[in-house]
Amino acid sequence: MSPQQSDRVSRVKAALSERHTVALTIWAEARGEFVAGQGWRQAPIEARIAVASVIRNRYRTPGRFGLTFKDVCLKPYAFSCWPVEGLDTNSEAVIGRAESLIAEGDGSVLAKGDAVLRECLWLADGLLADVFGDRVRGATHYYAASMPAPPKWAFYDAARTRPIEPVAIVGGHRFYAGIR
């Protein structure tokens, strides 16, 4: 990542509220999914609720992922939408949305034109108020099935011959509990 990009990302992360950080994480991680033979399509709300559940489950794992919901979302390498090494299409989208939310304040105008973002803000409010339960059986990790290969942590062995069984499958995402 260039120094200019790094400064931009750092400024955005520092300026975001906890609500906006959670909403943008949900938005970027589960707004769409790849379906074989169909291409990209909007993910169902259940996928966004499942990602919110992972954020909640990580928050409830003391000290491992972070002390606040914002810390959990922005922990390096925890959610691929938040750039660490460079900006890809998804991280560029989330940083752009974040800049708009910061400039606007409450996000109501931006959300009017984006039903999925509006939904994610609503989910973030519910998550922060602790009004919905875990929908992914304690999962703290997930990946999109459309990835070319599952991540290393989704296997019992380094040779990737013994895959771990997911505790839940929601939309195009596979969810896992007990990952160390």
Side-chain angles (χ1 to χ4, degrees), residues 64-102:
R64 180 168 176 207
F65 298 102
L67 299 176
T68 67
F69 285 105
K70 183 175 178 176
D71 291 344
V72 167
C73 292
L74 297 180
K75 182 176 176 137
Y77 303 102
F79 293 95
S80 63
C81 65
W82 295 106
V84 176
E85 296 174 353
L87 294 174
D88 63 14
T89 304
N90 197 32
S91 59
E92 181 62 50
V94 78
I95 293 299
R97 288 282 182 191
E99 289 169 330
S100 296
L101 284 172
I102 291 163

mmCIF file of all heavy atoms in Angstrom, residues 64-102:
data_model
loop_
_atom_site.group_PDB
_atom_site.id
_atom_site.type_symbol
_atom_site.label_atom_id
_atom_site.label_comp_id
_atom_site.label_asym_id
_atom_site.label_seq_id
_atom_site.Cartn_x
_atom_site.Cartn_y
_atom_site.Cartn_z
ATOM 1 N N ARG A 64 -9.193 -11.935 22.576
ATOM 2 C CA ARG A 64 -8.619 -12.564 21.386
ATOM 3 C C ARG A 64 -8.774 -11.715 20.135
ATOM 4 O O ARG A 64 -7.861 -11.629 19.316
ATOM 5 C CB ARG A 64 -9.264 -13.939 21.166
ATOM 6 C CG ARG A 64 -8.691 -14.620 19.937
ATOM 7 C CD ARG A 64 -9.057 -16.062 19.839
ATOM 8 N NE ARG A 64 -8.532 -16.589 18.589
ATOM 9 C CZ ARG A 64 -9.057 -17.594 17.958
ATOM 10 N NH1 ARG A 64 -10.087 -18.231 18.451
ATOM 11 N NH2 ARG A 64 -8.533 -18.009 16.818
ATOM 12 N N PHE A 65 -9.923 -11.108 19.967
ATOM 13 C CA PHE A 65 -10.202 -10.375 18.735
ATOM 14 C C PHE A 65 -10.279 -8.865 18.923
ATOM 15 O O PHE A 65 -10.237 -8.128 17.954
ATOM 16 C CB PHE A 65 -11.499 -10.874 18.101
ATOM 17 C CG PHE A 65 -11.456 -12.321 17.691
ATOM 18 C CD1 PHE A 65 -12.057 -13.290 18.467
ATOM 19 C CD2 PHE A 65 -10.797 -12.706 16.542
ATOM 20 C CE1 PHE A 65 -12.016 -14.630 18.089
ATOM 21 C CE2 PHE A 65 -10.751 -14.041 16.154
ATOM 22 C CZ PHE A 65 -11.359 -14.998 16.934
ATOM 23 N N GLY A 66 -10.438 -8.407 20.144
ATOM 24 C CA GLY A 66 -10.541 -6.973 20.414
ATOM 25 C C GLY A 66 -11.488 -6.696 21.557
ATOM 26 O O GLY A 66 -12.318 -7.548 21.909
ATOM 27 N N LEU A 67 -11.383 -5.512 22.124
ATOM 28 C CA LEU A 67 -12.192 -5.162 23.292
ATOM 29 C C LEU A 67 -13.490 -4.442 22.943
ATOM 30 O O LEU A 67 -14.385 -4.365 23.762
ATOM 31 C CB LEU A 67 -11.366 -4.305 24.257
ATOM 32 C CG LEU A 67 -10.108 -4.986 24.796
ATOM 33 C CD1 LEU A 67 -9.307 -4.024 25.669
ATOM 34 C CD2 LEU A 67 -10.469 -6.250 25.570
ATOM 35 N N THR A 68 -13.573 -3.904 21.737
ATOM 36 C CA THR A 68 -14.790 -3.231 21.278
ATOM 37 C C THR A 68 -15.205 -3.851 19.948
ATOM 38 O O THR A 68 -14.415 -4.541 19.291
ATOM 39 C CB THR A 68 -14.559 -1.724 21.065
ATOM 40 O OG1 THR A 68 -13.654 -1.547 19.966
ATOM 41 C CG2 THR A 68 -13.999 -1.054 22.326
ATOM 42 N N PHE A 69 -16.434 -3.589 19.548
ATOM 43 C CA PHE A 69 -16.878 -4.080 18.241
ATOM 44 C C PHE A 69 -16.021 -3.491 17.124
ATOM 45 O O PHE A 69 -15.688 -4.172 16.160
ATOM 46 C CB PHE A 69 -18.355 -3.755 18.007
ATOM 47 C CG PHE A 69 -19.294 -4.619 18.791
ATOM 48 C CD1 PHE A 69 -19.949 -4.129 19.909
ATOM 49 C CD2 PHE A 69 -19.528 -5.935 18.418
ATOM 50 C CE1 PHE A 69 -20.825 -4.933 20.632
ATOM 51 C CE2 PHE A 69 -20.394 -6.749 19.139
ATOM 52 C CZ PHE A 69 -21.039 -6.240 20.256
ATOM 53 N N LYS A 70 -15.648 -2.234 17.271
ATOM 54 C CA LYS A 70 -14.796 -1.585 16.267
ATOM 55 C C LYS A 70 -13.443 -2.276 16.204
ATOM 56 O O LYS A 70 -12.939 -2.561 15.114
ATOM 57 C CB LYS A 70 -14.646 -0.093 16.584
ATOM 58 C CG LYS A 70 -13.844 0.668 15.545
ATOM 59 C CD LYS A 70 -13.833 2.163 15.842
ATOM 60 C CE LYS A 70 -12.977 2.898 14.822
ATOM 61 N NZ LYS A 70 -13.014 4.353 15.019
ATOM 62 N N ASP A 71 -12.854 -2.571 17.371
ATOM 63 C CA ASP A 71 -11.576 -3.293 17.407
ATOM 64 C C ASP A 71 -11.691 -4.635 16.695
ATOM 65 O O ASP A 71 -10.803 -5.029 15.942
ATOM 66 C CB ASP A 71 -11.121 -3.567 18.843
ATOM 67 C CG ASP A 71 -10.703 -2.337 19.607
ATOM 68 O OD1 ASP A 71 -10.459 -1.285 18.996
ATOM 69 O OD2 ASP A 71 -10.627 -2.441 20.858
ATOM 70 N N VAL A 72 -12.777 -5.357 16.960
ATOM 71 C CA VAL A 72 -12.995 -6.671 16.346
ATOM 72 C C VAL A 72 -13.027 -6.541 14.825
ATOM 73 O O VAL A 72 -12.376 -7.310 14.112
ATOM 74 C CB VAL A 72 -14.298 -7.315 16.879
ATOM 75 C CG1 VAL A 72 -14.720 -8.508 16.033
ATOM 76 C CG2 VAL A 72 -14.139 -7.714 18.343
ATOM 77 N N CYS A 73 -13.758 -5.572 14.324
ATOM 78 C CA CYS A 73 -13.901 -5.398 12.876
ATOM 79 C C CYS A 73 -12.596 -4.962 12.211
ATOM 80 O O CYS A 73 -12.301 -5.385 11.087
ATOM 81 C CB CYS A 73 -14.990 -4.381 12.569
ATOM 82 S SG CYS A 73 -16.657 -4.944 12.992
ATOM 83 N N LEU A 74 -11.835 -4.122 12.886
ATOM 84 C CA LEU A 74 -10.638 -3.548 12.274
ATOM 85 C C LEU A 74 -9.353 -4.296 12.595
ATOM 86 O O LEU A 74 -8.280 -3.913 12.120
ATOM 87 C CB LEU A 74 -10.489 -2.076 12.691
ATOM 88 C CG LEU A 74 -11.612 -1.144 12.230
ATOM 89 C CD1 LEU A 74 -11.349 0.280 12.710
ATOM 90 C CD2 LEU A 74 -11.795 -1.188 10.727
ATOM 91 N N LYS A 75 -9.445 -5.376 13.360
ATOM 92 C CA LYS A 75 -8.236 -6.151 13.658
ATOM 93 C C LYS A 75 -7.590 -6.586 12.336
ATOM 94 O O LYS A 75 -8.267 -7.107 11.443
ATOM 95 C CB LYS A 75 -8.589 -7.375 14.502
ATOM 96 C CG LYS A 75 -7.368 -8.188 14.890
ATOM 97 C CD LYS A 75 -7.719 -9.334 15.799
ATOM 98 C CE LYS A 75 -6.455 -10.142 16.037
ATOM 99 N NZ LYS A 75 -6.317 -10.517 17.401
ATOM 100 N N PRO A 76 -6.289 -6.371 12.202
ATOM 101 C CA PRO A 76 -5.638 -6.742 10.937
ATOM 102 C C PRO A 76 -5.890 -8.200 10.543
ATOM 103 O O PRO A 76 -5.797 -9.096 11.381
ATOM 104 C CB PRO A 76 -4.151 -6.488 11.229
ATOM 105 C CG PRO A 76 -4.170 -5.413 12.277
ATOM 106 C CD PRO A 76 -5.368 -5.732 13.136
ATOM 107 N N TYR A 77 -6.266 -8.389 9.313
ATOM 108 C CA TYR A 77 -6.533 -9.686 8.684
ATOM 109 C C TYR A 77 -7.803 -10.382 9.198
ATOM 110 O O TYR A 77 -8.083 -11.503 8.794
ATOM 111 C CB TYR A 77 -5.327 -10.627 8.817
ATOM 112 C CG TYR A 77 -4.073 -10.036 8.229
ATOM 113 C CD1 TYR A 77 -3.099 -9.475 9.053
ATOM 114 C CD2 TYR A 77 -3.886 -9.980 6.854
ATOM 115 C CE1 TYR A 77 -1.956 -8.895 8.516
ATOM 116 C CE2 TYR A 77 -2.751 -9.407 6.314
ATOM 117 C CZ TYR A 77 -1.791 -8.868 7.155
ATOM 118 O OH TYR A 77 -0.667 -8.295 6.625
ATOM 119 N N ALA A 78 -8.574 -9.734 10.056
ATOM 120 C CA ALA A 78 -9.789 -10.362 10.583
ATOM 121 C C ALA A 78 -10.914 -10.381 9.551
ATOM 122 O O ALA A 78 -11.600 -11.379 9.398
ATOM 123 C CB ALA A 78 -10.249 -9.656 11.855
ATOM 124 N N PHE A 79 -11.095 -9.268 8.857
ATOM 125 C CA PHE A 79 -12.108 -9.164 7.810
ATOM 126 C C PHE A 79 -11.421 -8.605 6.574
ATOM 127 O O PHE A 79 -10.818 -7.530 6.625
ATOM 128 C CB PHE A 79 -13.272 -8.263 8.247
ATOM 129 C CG PHE A 79 -14.076 -8.848 9.369
ATOM 130 C CD1 PHE A 79 -13.817 -8.502 10.689
ATOM 131 C CD2 PHE A 79 -15.076 -9.769 9.109
ATOM 132 C CE1 PHE A 79 -14.551 -9.043 11.731
ATOM 133 C CE2 PHE A 79 -15.818 -10.323 10.138
ATOM 134 C CZ PHE A 79 -15.551 -9.966 11.459
ATOM 135 N N SER A 80 -11.532 -9.311 5.478
ATOM 136 C CA SER A 80 -10.773 -8.955 4.274
ATOM 137 C C SER A 80 -11.161 -7.607 3.681
ATOM 138 O O SER A 80 -10.403 -7.039 2.902
ATOM 139 C CB SER A 80 -10.921 -10.049 3.209
ATOM 140 O OG SER A 80 -12.277 -10.166 2.812
ATOM 141 N N CYS A 81 -12.313 -7.080 4.056
ATOM 142 C CA CYS A 81 -12.738 -5.800 3.489
ATOM 143 C C CYS A 81 -11.918 -4.625 4.010
ATOM 144 O O CYS A 81 -11.859 -3.584 3.361
ATOM 145 C CB CYS A 81 -14.215 -5.558 3.760
ATOM 146 S SG CYS A 81 -14.639 -5.366 5.504
ATOM 147 N N TRP A 82 -11.289 -4.777 5.183
ATOM 148 C CA TRP A 82 -10.486 -3.694 5.744
ATOM 149 C C TRP A 82 -9.046 -3.881 5.323
ATOM 150 O O TRP A 82 -8.396 -4.833 5.729
ATOM 151 C CB TRP A 82 -10.627 -3.639 7.264
ATOM 152 C CG TRP A 82 -12.014 -3.281 7.670
ATOM 153 C CD1 TRP A 82 -12.950 -4.120 8.187
ATOM 154 C CD2 TRP A 82 -12.642 -2.005 7.541
ATOM 155 N NE1 TRP A 82 -14.123 -3.443 8.410
ATOM 156 C CE2 TRP A 82 -13.968 -2.144 8.021
ATOM 157 C CE3 TRP A 82 -12.219 -0.769 7.079
ATOM 158 C CZ2 TRP A 82 -14.862 -1.076 8.041
ATOM 159 C CZ3 TRP A 82 -13.114 0.290 7.105
ATOM 160 C CH2 TRP A 82 -14.415 0.127 7.584
ATOM 161 N N PRO A 83 -8.518 -2.980 4.503
ATOM 162 C CA PRO A 83 -7.194 -3.169 3.909
ATOM 163 C C PRO A 83 -6.056 -3.123 4.923
ATOM 164 O O PRO A 83 -6.075 -2.335 5.860
ATOM 165 C CB PRO A 83 -7.074 -2.016 2.916
ATOM 166 C CG PRO A 83 -8.027 -0.981 3.402
ATOM 167 C CD PRO A 83 -9.138 -1.718 4.094
ATOM 168 N N VAL A 84 -5.098 -4.014 4.709
ATOM 169 C CA VAL A 84 -3.883 -4.054 5.508
ATOM 170 C C VAL A 84 -2.681 -3.846 4.592
ATOM 171 O O VAL A 84 -1.796 -3.068 4.870
ATOM 172 C CB VAL A 84 -3.754 -5.388 6.277
ATOM 173 C CG1 VAL A 84 -2.441 -5.453 7.031
ATOM 174 C CG2 VAL A 84 -4.928 -5.577 7.225
ATOM 175 N N GLU A 85 -2.687 -4.552 3.462
ATOM 176 C CA GLU A 85 -1.534 -4.529 2.562
ATOM 177 C C GLU A 85 -1.773 -3.763 1.269
ATOM 178 O O GLU A 85 -0.842 -3.449 0.560
ATOM 179 C CB GLU A 85 -1.109 -5.959 2.239
ATOM 180 C CG GLU A 85 -0.640 -6.699 3.476
ATOM 181 C CD GLU A 85 -0.356 -8.160 3.208
ATOM 182 O OE1 GLU A 85 -0.641 -8.641 2.102
ATOM 183 O OE2 GLU A 85 0.156 -8.814 4.116
ATOM 184 N N GLY A 86 -2.999 -3.499 0.935
ATOM 185 C CA GLY A 86 -3.306 -2.798 -0.306
ATOM 186 C C GLY A 86 -4.802 -2.710 -0.489
ATOM 187 O O GLY A 86 -5.559 -3.320 0.242
ATOM 188 N N LEU A 87 -5.213 -1.939 -1.469
ATOM 189 C CA LEU A 87 -6.637 -1.757 -1.730
ATOM 190 C C LEU A 87 -7.065 -2.620 -2.909
ATOM 191 O O LEU A 87 -6.551 -2.473 -4.004
ATOM 192 C CB LEU A 87 -6.938 -0.287 -2.029
ATOM 193 C CG LEU A 87 -6.731 0.692 -0.872
ATOM 194 C CD1 LEU A 87 -6.935 2.121 -1.368
ATOM 195 C CD2 LEU A 87 -7.677 0.393 0.268
ATOM 196 N N ASP A 88 -8.007 -3.540 -2.655
ATOM 197 C CA ASP A 88 -8.614 -4.276 -3.750
ATOM 198 C C ASP A 88 -9.983 -3.637 -4.010
ATOM 199 O O ASP A 88 -10.333 -2.623 -3.402
ATOM 200 C CB ASP A 88 -8.716 -5.776 -3.432
ATOM 201 C CG ASP A 88 -9.609 -6.085 -2.233
ATOM 202 O OD1 ASP A 88 -10.368 -5.201 -1.770
ATOM 203 O OD2 ASP A 88 -9.555 -7.222 -1.750
ATOM 204 N N THR A 89 -10.759 -4.209 -4.898
ATOM 205 C CA THR A 89 -12.049 -3.616 -5.264
ATOM 206 C C THR A 89 -12.973 -3.486 -4.056
ATOM 207 O O THR A 89 -13.603 -2.445 -3.859
ATOM 208 C CB THR A 89 -12.733 -4.478 -6.350
ATOM 209 O OG1 THR A 89 -11.836 -4.591 -7.452
ATOM 210 C CG2 THR A 89 -14.031 -3.855 -6.817
ATOM 211 N N ASN A 90 -13.052 -4.516 -3.213
ATOM 212 C CA ASN A 90 -13.946 -4.487 -2.062
ATOM 213 C C ASN A 90 -13.463 -3.503 -1.002
ATOM 214 O O ASN A 90 -14.251 -2.734 -0.460
ATOM 215 C CB ASN A 90 -14.099 -5.889 -1.471
ATOM 216 C CG ASN A 90 -15.299 -5.994 -0.555
ATOM 217 O OD1 ASN A 90 -16.313 -5.333 -0.734
ATOM 218 N ND2 ASN A 90 -15.193 -6.849 0.436
ATOM 219 N N SER A 91 -12.164 -3.509 -0.702
ATOM 220 C CA SER A 91 -11.672 -2.583 0.320
ATOM 221 C C SER A 91 -11.755 -1.136 -0.158
ATOM 222 O O SER A 91 -12.024 -0.227 0.629
ATOM 223 C CB SER A 91 -10.264 -2.951 0.783
ATOM 224 O OG SER A 91 -9.349 -2.944 -0.275
ATOM 225 N N GLU A 92 -11.560 -0.903 -1.441
ATOM 226 C CA GLU A 92 -11.732 0.444 -1.987
ATOM 227 C C GLU A 92 -13.191 0.884 -1.830
ATOM 228 O O GLU A 92 -13.468 2.034 -1.468
ATOM 229 C CB GLU A 92 -11.323 0.494 -3.461
ATOM 230 C CG GLU A 92 -11.448 1.862 -4.099
ATOM 231 C CD GLU A 92 -10.572 2.932 -3.467
ATOM 232 O OE1 GLU A 92 -9.369 2.704 -3.296
ATOM 233 O OE2 GLU A 92 -11.111 4.016 -3.150
ATOM 234 N N ALA A 93 -14.121 -0.034 -2.068
ATOM 235 C CA ALA A 93 -15.545 0.280 -1.911
ATOM 236 C C ALA A 93 -15.878 0.614 -0.468
ATOM 237 O O ALA A 93 -16.610 1.580 -0.196
ATOM 238 C CB ALA A 93 -16.403 -0.884 -2.410
ATOM 239 N N VAL A 94 -15.363 -0.167 0.474
ATOM 240 C CA VAL A 94 -15.686 0.084 1.884
ATOM 241 C C VAL A 94 -15.046 1.387 2.365
ATOM 242 O O VAL A 94 -15.677 2.146 3.109
ATOM 243 C CB VAL A 94 -15.324 -1.123 2.787
ATOM 244 C CG1 VAL A 94 -13.851 -1.209 3.101
ATOM 245 C CG2 VAL A 94 -16.105 -1.085 4.089
ATOM 246 N N ILE A 95 -13.835 1.688 1.930
ATOM 247 C CA ILE A 95 -13.197 2.945 2.332
ATOM 248 C C ILE A 95 -13.956 4.134 1.728
ATOM 249 O O ILE A 95 -14.188 5.142 2.400
ATOM 250 C CB ILE A 95 -11.697 2.961 1.937
ATOM 251 C CG1 ILE A 95 -10.921 1.911 2.743
ATOM 252 C CG2 ILE A 95 -11.090 4.349 2.110
ATOM 253 C CD1 ILE A 95 -10.945 2.097 4.249
ATOM 254 N N GLY A 96 -14.390 4.003 0.470
ATOM 255 C CA GLY A 96 -15.185 5.063 -0.147
ATOM 256 C C GLY A 96 -16.496 5.296 0.574
ATOM 257 O O GLY A 96 -16.891 6.448 0.830
ATOM 258 N N ARG A 97 -17.193 4.220 0.934
ATOM 259 C CA ARG A 97 -18.452 4.350 1.694
ATOM 260 C C ARG A 97 -18.169 4.965 3.057
ATOM 261 O O ARG A 97 -18.935 5.785 3.550
ATOM 262 C CB ARG A 97 -19.124 2.988 1.897
ATOM 263 C CG ARG A 97 -19.726 2.420 0.677
ATOM 264 C CD ARG A 97 -21.041 3.087 0.370
ATOM 265 N NE ARG A 97 -21.567 2.437 -0.808
ATOM 266 C CZ ARG A 97 -22.573 2.858 -1.498
ATOM 267 N NH1 ARG A 97 -23.216 3.916 -1.142
ATOM 268 N NH2 ARG A 97 -22.961 2.229 -2.570
ATOM 269 N N ALA A 98 -17.084 4.537 3.687
ATOM 270 C CA ALA A 98 -16.724 5.062 5.004
ATOM 271 C C ALA A 98 -16.497 6.575 4.929
ATOM 272 O O ALA A 98 -16.976 7.323 5.794
ATOM 273 C CB ALA A 98 -15.477 4.361 5.522
ATOM 274 N N GLU A 99 -15.774 7.019 3.916
ATOM 275 C CA GLU A 99 -15.536 8.455 3.761
ATOM 276 C C GLU A 99 -16.852 9.217 3.609
ATOM 277 O O GLU A 99 -17.026 10.300 4.180
ATOM 278 C CB GLU A 99 -14.613 8.714 2.566
ATOM 279 C CG GLU A 99 -13.186 8.284 2.827
ATOM 280 C CD GLU A 99 -12.306 8.283 1.590
ATOM 281 O OE1 GLU A 99 -12.827 8.052 0.462
ATOM 282 O OE2 GLU A 99 -11.092 8.508 1.756
ATOM 283 N N SER A 100 -17.793 8.636 2.876
ATOM 284 C CA SER A 100 -19.104 9.275 2.704
ATOM 285 C C SER A 100 -19.867 9.323 4.025
ATOM 286 O O SER A 100 -20.478 10.341 4.360
ATOM 287 C CB SER A 100 -19.929 8.530 1.656
ATOM 288 O OG SER A 100 -19.310 8.609 0.396
ATOM 289 N N LEU A 101 -19.826 8.242 4.787
ATOM 290 C CA LEU A 101 -20.513 8.218 6.083
ATOM 291 C C LEU A 101 -19.901 9.237 7.040
ATOM 292 O O LEU A 101 -20.621 9.919 7.773
ATOM 293 C CB LEU A 101 -20.452 6.823 6.708
ATOM 294 C CG LEU A 101 -21.384 5.776 6.131
ATOM 295 C CD1 LEU A 101 -21.084 4.408 6.714
ATOM 296 C CD2 LEU A 101 -22.840 6.147 6.387
ATOM 297 N N ILE A 102 -18.587 9.325 7.053
ATOM 298 C CA ILE A 102 -17.900 10.281 7.931
ATOM 299 C C ILE A 102 -18.298 11.706 7.554
ATOM 300 O O ILE A 102 -18.612 12.526 8.422
ATOM 301 C CB ILE A 102 -16.373 10.083 7.855
ATOM 302 C CG1 ILE A 102 -15.984 8.745 8.497
ATOM 303 C CG2 ILE A 102 -15.640 11.239 8.538
ATOM 304 C CD1 ILE A 102 -14.590 8.260 8.133
#
